Amino acid sequence: MAGILIGQDRRGAQIATRAAALARAAGAHALVPAALEAAAYAELAAGRYDAATDAALDGAAAARRAARLDLADTHVALLAVLAALVGDRPAAERRAAEATARHDDARDLTDWAYALLDLVEGRPADAATRLAAIVAAPPGRASAVLRVAVIPHLIEAAGTASPPLPAFDSWAARTGEASWLALRARCRALQTTDGDAADDHFREALRRHDQGFPRAHTELLYGSHLRRRRRHLEARDHLRRAAETFHRLDAAPWASQAARELRAAGDRTTAVTPSAGPALTAQQERIAGLVADGATNREVAQQLHLSPRTVDHHLRNVFARLGVRSRTELARLLAAG
């Protein structure tokens, strides 16, 4: 967790994943869900949503086995946030309700999830109200990690009306990490009223971003900014890239938002489709390859350090995305490819 607080999310994820493995090997099962909670937070902060989902799914199962229902609720609330990030309202609502059924300890996480849904569904004022309450929460309630993580979304929701947050700006600079420097630049772009300065900040953010959802999100925001400045040709390039990435990541509401912005920028294409076929995530590709080679779910779980339940979850998604109904059909499809 300290790794996250200093911006070294990937290193924090590595340490937490190692801690979970050591705890399992030592039979200290009560420590496993706590380690996986740190791993899930770190992967989420790093923008690796698939890895964060894996850690939270495993963490929820481990917490239930260890009778740590409080930690199980935290993991389920993190799953609500991850679903909300890609605009999956049914999954986010279901997980948020499950996470808060017994008590309100995970309320700030579920409020973050609902704020993310507000953002994608065009209610930025509602999102800003929820997020500002998390940032202003006393230390005993919302964690320091959470208060940092929600700030880029608060600034997106409030735009130029967002409160000055110099502590976040200076913290992100001190991390020296490309992912946080990218978000720092994006936040600066959203807070300035100088259109040329916003261009510079958006371009800096895109230079620093890796491929993935955070970059696509910045492409969408920059494209929208360019459209409002009537630079429609430039806007369409960014918006199309955003829409293609959102489609590939199954973030349908975000893809629809990018498509609406494209039409407003003069693109008459009725729908934006991914440039390639039904791509799998890196984790799904690994699981599909092992299953096609004849491995059972339990063997895949052992090799990839996942739970069998998580492997089953990913395999169902692989079948749906590739349009196959059995392991045999999957093996044939991959062999033909």
Side-chain angles (χ1 to χ4, degrees):
M1 296 301 279
I4 304 170
L5 283 172
I6 61 173
Q8 295 189 18
D9 313 311
R10 295 179 184 237
R11 180 63 178 144
Q14 291 170 352
I15 294 169
T17 301
R18 176 67 175 152
L22 288 170
R24 281 195 179 108
H29 300 298
L31 298 180
V32 173
L36 289 172
E37 178 190 3
Y41 267 116
E43 297 289 16
L44 173 57
R48 300 194 301 198
Y49 299 161
D50 287 332
T53 298
D54 289 344
L57 283 167
D58 279 354
R64 293 186 188 105
R65 287 194 297 271
R68 290 295 308 275
L69 298 184
D70 56 333
L71 279 178
D73 290 340
T74 298
H75 282 288
V76 173
L78 280 167
L79 289 168
V81 170
L82 288 157
L85 277 164
V86 297
D88 186 347
R89 174 173 281 278
E93 287 185 329
R94 184 175 66 253
R95 288 166 170 169
E98 180 184 348
T100 55
R102 282 183 289 271
H103 48 69
D104 282 348
D105 289 356
R107 178 66 64 182
D108 287 311
L109 278 171
T110 57
D111 281 349
W112 184 16
Y114 283 117
L116 291 167
L117 294 174
D118 287 334
L119 266 180
V120 72
E121 293 169 1
R123 295 185 299 276
D126 292 342
T129 299
R130 293 183 196 272
L131 296 170
I134 295 172
V135 171
R141 199 185 86 185
S143 72
V145 169
L146 182 57
R147 290 200 299 273
V148 168
V150 304
I151 285 174
H153 295 121
L154 171 59
I155 290 173
E156 179 183 349
T160 55
S162 58
L165 295 164
F168 173 79
D169 192 276
S170 60
W171 172 83
R174 286 196 302 273
T175 70
E177 295 292 316
S179 59
W180 285 109
L181 292 173
L183 289 176
R184 173 180 182 248
R186 186 171 86 189
C187 289
R188 287 182 166 188
L190 293 170
Q191 288 185 296
T192 184
T193 57
D194 183 331
D196 292 335
D199 285 342
D200 291 340
H201 293 316
F202 274 125
R203 285 193 289 265
E204 179 189 350
L206 291 173
R207 283 196 305 271
R208 295 185 183 278
H209 273 307
D210 289 334
Q211 295 299 320
F213 190 95
R215 181 186 179 88
H217 200 153
T218 297
E219 296 268 22
L220 171 61
L221 293 169
Y222 188 26
S224 300
H225 165 80
L226 291 170
R227 179 190 63 76
R228 290 192 297 272
R229 299 193 74 195
R230 299 185 182 279
R231 291 161 58 184
H232 290 167
L233 187 61
E234 294 172 79
R236 290 198 292 269
D237 288 340
H238 292 286
L239 293 169
R240 183 165 291 280
R241 283 194 291 271
E244 289 176 351
T245 301
F246 290 143
H247 270 292
R248 189 169 64 251
L249 297 176
D250 287 336
W254 289 109
S256 296
Q257 188 175 124
R260 287 193 297 272
E261 287 285 341
L262 267 170
R263 288 192 293 272
D267 190 312
R268 300 308 171 199
T269 305
T270 56
V272 179
T273 56
S275 56
L280 302 177
T281 66
Q283 187 76 292
Q284 288 170 344
E285 285 182 355
R286 288 193 290 271
I287 290 170
L290 291 169
V291 168
D293 288 339
T296 66
N297 284 14
R298 184 166 295 280
E299 289 168 340
V300 173
Q302 289 173 345
Q303 184 161 337
L304 298 182
H305 306 292
L306 301 171
S307 71
R309 181 178 178 180
T310 300
V311 172
D312 181 67
H313 166 81
H314 282 299
L315 194 55
R316 286 198 304 271
N317 289 337
V318 168
F319 281 14
R321 185 166 294 192
L322 298 184
V324 299
R325 293 174 293 179
S326 69
R327 304 165 89 91
T328 302
E329 286 185 17
L330 174 63
R332 287 174 182 163
L333 178 64
L334 295 186

PDB file of all heavy atoms in Angstrom, residues 244 248 273-277:
ATOM      1  N   GLU A 244     -12.419   2.886 -30.658  1.00  0.00           N
ATOM      2  CA  GLU A 244     -11.909   1.555 -30.977  1.00  0.00           C
ATOM      3  C   GLU A 244     -11.395   0.854 -29.724  1.00  0.00           C
ATOM      4  O   GLU A 244     -11.636  -0.344 -29.514  1.00  0.00           O
ATOM      5  CB  GLU A 244     -10.812   1.660 -32.034  1.00  0.00           C
ATOM      6  CG  GLU A 244     -11.341   2.044 -33.418  1.00  0.00           C
ATOM      7  CD  GLU A 244     -10.235   2.240 -34.430  1.00  0.00           C
ATOM      8  OE1 GLU A 244      -9.041   2.251 -34.022  1.00  0.00           O
ATOM      9  OE2 GLU A 244     -10.551   2.387 -35.631  1.00  0.00           O
ATOM     10  N   ARG A 248     -12.851  -2.534 -27.851  1.00  0.00           N
ATOM     11  CA  ARG A 248     -11.990  -3.690 -27.600  1.00  0.00           C
ATOM     12  C   ARG A 248     -12.037  -4.110 -26.141  1.00  0.00           C
ATOM     13  O   ARG A 248     -11.912  -5.299 -25.821  1.00  0.00           O
ATOM     14  CB  ARG A 248     -10.559  -3.357 -28.018  1.00  0.00           C
ATOM     15  CG  ARG A 248      -9.625  -4.551 -28.017  1.00  0.00           C
ATOM     16  CD  ARG A 248      -8.305  -4.238 -28.692  1.00  0.00           C
ATOM     17  NE  ARG A 248      -7.535  -3.226 -27.994  1.00  0.00           N
ATOM     18  CZ  ARG A 248      -7.347  -1.982 -28.442  1.00  0.00           C
ATOM     19  NH1 ARG A 248      -7.899  -1.587 -29.581  1.00  0.00           N
ATOM     20  NH2 ARG A 248      -6.622  -1.110 -27.754  1.00  0.00           N
ATOM     21  N   THR A 273     -16.493   0.498 -35.084  1.00  0.00           N
ATOM     22  CA  THR A 273     -16.174  -0.882 -34.729  1.00  0.00           C
ATOM     23  C   THR A 273     -14.690  -1.018 -34.517  1.00  0.00           C
ATOM     24  O   THR A 273     -13.902  -0.247 -35.052  1.00  0.00           O
ATOM     25  CB  THR A 273     -16.620  -1.858 -35.828  1.00  0.00           C
ATOM     26  OG1 THR A 273     -16.008  -1.470 -37.056  1.00  0.00           O
ATOM     27  CG2 THR A 273     -18.127  -1.837 -35.980  1.00  0.00           C
ATOM     28  N   PRO A 274     -14.260  -1.998 -33.785  1.00  0.00           N
ATOM     29  CA  PRO A 274     -12.829  -2.189 -33.564  1.00  0.00           C
ATOM     30  C   PRO A 274     -12.124  -2.451 -34.886  1.00  0.00           C
ATOM     31  O   PRO A 274     -12.694  -3.024 -35.809  1.00  0.00           O
ATOM     32  CB  PRO A 274     -12.761  -3.420 -32.655  1.00  0.00           C
ATOM     33  CG  PRO A 274     -14.134  -3.563 -32.081  1.00  0.00           C
ATOM     34  CD  PRO A 274     -15.071  -2.991 -33.085  1.00  0.00           C
ATOM     35  N   SER A 275     -10.864  -2.053 -34.936  1.00  0.00           N
ATOM     36  CA  SER A 275     -10.114  -2.244 -36.161  1.00  0.00           C
ATOM     37  C   SER A 275      -9.742  -3.697 -36.380  1.00  0.00           C
ATOM     38  O   SER A 275      -9.416  -4.100 -37.479  1.00  0.00           O
ATOM     39  CB  SER A 275      -8.826  -1.395 -36.112  1.00  0.00           C
ATOM     40  OG  SER A 275      -8.074  -1.714 -34.963  1.00  0.00           O
ATOM     41  N   ALA A 276      -9.763  -4.507 -35.337  1.00  0.00           N
ATOM     42  CA  ALA A 276      -9.420  -5.921 -35.467  1.00  0.00           C
ATOM     43  C   ALA A 276     -10.597  -6.756 -35.003  1.00  0.00           C
ATOM     44  O   ALA A 276     -11.642  -6.245 -34.644  1.00  0.00           O
ATOM     45  CB  ALA A 276      -8.181  -6.229 -34.634  1.00  0.00           C
ATOM     46  N   GLY A 277     -10.410  -8.066 -34.997  1.00  0.00           N
ATOM     47  CA  GLY A 277     -11.463  -8.985 -34.594  1.00  0.00           C
ATOM     48  C   GLY A 277     -11.673  -8.962 -33.096  1.00  0.00           C
ATOM     49  O   GLY A 277     -11.226  -8.055 -32.405  1.00  0.00           O
TER      50      GLY A 277
END
